[in-house]
Amino acid sequence: MEKSFDLNAAIGIGTHDAPFLHADWPAPTHVKTLITTRNGGVSEGVFTSLNLGAHVGDNPLHVARNREIVQQQVGLPVVYLNQIHGISVVNAAEHIGNVPDADAAVDSSGRVACASMTADCLPVLFCDKAGTVVAAAHAGWRGLAGGVLQNTIAEMNVSPVEIMTYLGPAIGPDAFEVGQDVFDAFYARMHEAENAFEPIGNGKYLADIYTLARITLRREGVSMIYGGHHCTVLERDTFFSYRRNGKTGRMASIIWLEKAV
């Protein structure tokens, strides 16, 4: 059983302020997930309070303590990535103790947890129906347009029809204003992406990153797609948002296999 409610009680907060969410999907019971919010940590100021980003200017001691809090929930080593808005995917078990330049990680060993760190970009969690492999991808618009989800599916080495995905908290369609360059990047690859953009004039659009991810996944043969209901910008008490605040913290969407000892 996952321990989030024990921690909530320990730090004296109610369930409505719970620092952790979990993917709401029909994954096998030994596929575990943890989605952090901005609550439940020790960081201060603009990073209040569960900032997990070591690259954003926060006190390193606070970040380390916040990661310890998360580590206590997960149990396995969490592999954080140096995300570069690219499309590279790594085998998480090969990077315990280091921080690879990549935007997605996969694992089938059950010895490590895969993490996607975000503050508006889209975190996507993956597993197969049998629970033999998991993955986490960081999908900003550049990585999403470039193929990070496709590459993650390929590295899982199972049939796409066996894969289910969960779209974690990201910037919502009412807050994600983009320019013509973003529209063009997606439309050039898949014309149906036009349905994810609402023109608002002067070459600007409101983009639905969740719809863009769903289109991408379905084109790859993945039909089991869950989540995609939050807005990190508008839900200011729950999530960090770079678009809203600029200097801010980072959350993590984490997935791992709980294998019997």
Side-chain angles (χ1 to χ4, degrees):
M1 179 179 295
E2 299 182 30
K3 307 175 184 176
S4 59
F5 289 108
D6 294 339
L7 181 61
N8 295 349
I11 61 180
I13 62 175
T15 55
H16 66 287
D17 292 320
F20 303 125
L21 306 174
H22 304 280
D24 183 11
W25 61 348
T29 57
H30 64 281
V31 173
K32 302 299 181 181
T33 65
L34 188 78
I35 299 170
T36 72
T37 68
R38 68 175 304 152
N39 302 310
V42 301
S43 290
E44 301 173 344
V46 296
F47 305 111
T48 300
S49 64
L50 191 64
N51 167 47
L52 300 175
H55 63 294
V56 295
D58 194 5
N59 184 326
L61 295 178
H62 289 169
V63 177
R65 176 56 187 145
N66 289 338
R67 290 190 177 191
E68 287 176 0
I69 290 170
V70 171
Q71 185 64 57
Q72 290 168 5
Q73 294 292 297
V74 176
L76 297 175
V78 178
V79 172
Y80 295 99
L81 307 174
N82 180 33
Q83 298 168 175
I84 54 177
H85 293 273
I87 60 174
S88 295
V89 185
V90 296
N91 184 324
E94 297 175 359
H95 293 279
I96 298 175
N98 61 63
V99 184
D101 292 342
D103 282 86
V106 302
D107 181 65
S108 58
S109 71
R111 297 188 296 110
V112 66
C114 302
S116 169
M117 195 176 297
T118 58
D120 284 336
C121 291
L122 174 63
V124 183
L125 302 179
F126 300 76
C127 75
D128 66 322
K129 288 194 295 186
T132 66
V133 60
V134 295
H138 163 253
W141 76 260
R142 290 180 179 84
L144 185 55
V148 68
L149 300 188
Q150 295 93 319
N151 287 359
T152 304
I153 291 167
E155 290 297 324
M156 291 178 70
N157 200 31
V158 295
S159 171
V161 300
E162 297 295 315
I163 292 174
M164 66 180 68
T165 59
Y166 185 83
L167 309 182
I171 187 170
D174 295 326
F176 192 21
E177 182 177 321
V178 300
Q180 190 68 43
D181 58 331
V182 179
F183 177 91
D184 292 343
F186 285 97
Y187 187 75
R189 292 167 174 80
M190 47 189 192
H191 286 1
E192 63 268 41
E194 182 177 13
N195 298 323
F197 292 88
E198 178 185 344
I200 56 175
N202 298 318
K204 300 291 186 179
Y205 300 83
L206 288 177
D208 188 338
I209 199 168
Y210 293 125
T211 293
L212 290 168
R214 292 184 184 105
I215 292 171
T216 301
L217 291 165
R218 288 175 181 138
R219 283 171 63 96
E220 294 301 304
V222 176
S223 61
M224 293 179 287
I225 306 170
Y226 304 90
H229 307 300
H230 289 288
C231 179
T232 49
V233 176
L234 300 181
E235 296 174 62
R236 61 178 59 246
D237 293 333
T238 305
F239 303 115
F240 293 115
S241 168
Y242 181 82
R243 178 67 68 104
R244 184 184 65 232
N245 297 122
K247 192 171 186 179
T248 191
R250 297 295 186 272
M251 303 162 296
S253 296
I254 305 169
I255 189 166
W256 68 99
L257 293 171
E258 184 178 76
K259 292 200 169 180
V261 178

